[in-house]
Amino acid sequence: MTQEVEIEFKSMLTKDEYETLLAAYDLTDKVKWQANDYFDTPTFELKNHGAALRIREKKHGQVLTLKQPHDVGLLETHAPIQEKEAENLFKYGIIHDDQMKEALASFDLTGPLEHLGRLETKRAEIETPDGLLVLDESHYLEIHDYEIEFEVTDEAKGKIAFEQLLRHHGIPLRPAKNKIVRFMEEKVRRNQG
């Protein structure tokens, strides 16, 4: 299990802006697929604490991640997960990793974990002198959107660099919630509708 603090800036993009940035950074042929499967209790207890649990699947394996609020950014707790363990989480809401169970215990969940759905992303990324530039095209719950993420280690410098990057490409800042938040809000909206 590993932990890291994620500091990132994001903005929603139009399809044209997304494609322009892919071309500008020579990333058009470097797009990779990944999928996030999200889990919470039936009453969204993790979401209500500002936390989220997901399995991220890439071409070469899966990782279980708990994201939770932190002083700066988000604290991410990662644990590799094998196919059988993932199957147990999907089917029965069972987590095998002891450290992940311990991290989740602080939320004192009263309901069982259940699979809420999948978000698939086509992602391209490139390391710049100021941070990691990530371009995402995502599909979930009949929604299709585009965003730019900029992951940094220094919040103040990163904010300036991100704003300069957007200005340089003539892209307005359109505040973006995390993918998992967008997914959860849409899921709740559909459950109420």
Side-chain angles (χ1 to χ4, degrees), residues 50-189:
L53 184 67
R54 73 164 188 231
I55 292 177
R56 174 166 285 168
E57 179 184 350
K58 295 183 179 181
K59 294 251 188 253
H60 305 292
Q62 302 178 90
V63 176
L64 180 64
T65 299
L66 173 66
K67 289 188 173 199
Q68 59 194 101
H70 190 263
D71 297 339
V72 177
L74 293 170
L75 177 63
E76 292 187 347
T77 303
H78 306 285
I81 187 167
Q82 301 303 314
E83 194 64 42
K84 186 71 175 165
E85 295 170 321
E87 192 176 305
N88 283 336
L89 180 53
F90 276 98
K91 286 184 178 176
Y92 312 110
I94 296 171
I95 291 179
H96 293 277
D97 185 275
D98 289 336
Q99 291 172 313
M100 187 63 75
K101 283 196 271 193
E102 188 178 312
L104 283 165
S106 66
F107 294 102
D108 201 22
L109 301 178
T110 59
L113 290 171
E114 62 181 26
H115 181 239
L116 301 178
R118 173 172 272 214
L119 181 147
E120 293 191 33
T121 300
K122 294 177 185 172
R123 168 168 283 190
E125 52 186 51
I126 187 169
E127 194 67 52
T128 73
D130 299 307
L132 180 67
L133 173 66
V134 180
L135 301 172
D136 285 341
E137 174 184 356
S138 297
H139 299 267
Y140 56 100
L141 303 172
E142 299 175 33
I143 304 284
H144 186 178
D145 63 29
Y146 302 87
E147 73 181 310
I148 181 174
E149 296 180 356
F150 196 60
E151 296 180 15
V152 298
T153 53
D154 182 306
E155 186 177 24
K157 289 179 184 174
K159 184 176 192 306
I160 292 167
F162 180 63
E163 290 169 352
Q164 286 173 340
L165 186 150
L166 291 178
R167 269 195 309 276
H168 175 75
H169 292 284
I171 298 172
L173 176 63
R174 297 180 197 97
K177 295 177 179 174
N178 287 333
K179 280 181 205 59
I180 197 160
V181 172
R182 297 196 310 264
F183 175 92
M184 289 294 187
E185 286 178 353
E186 181 64 16
K187 184 74 174 177
V188 169
R189 188 187 71 73

Side-chain angles (χ1 to χ4, degrees), residues 18 22 27-33 121-125 135 137:
Y18 171 80
L22 279 178
L27 294 170
T28 307
D29 297 330
K30 297 178 177 76
V31 175
K32 296 183 177 164
W33 172 88
T121 300
K122 294 177 185 172
R123 168 168 283 190
E125 52 186 51
L135 301 172
E137 174 184 356

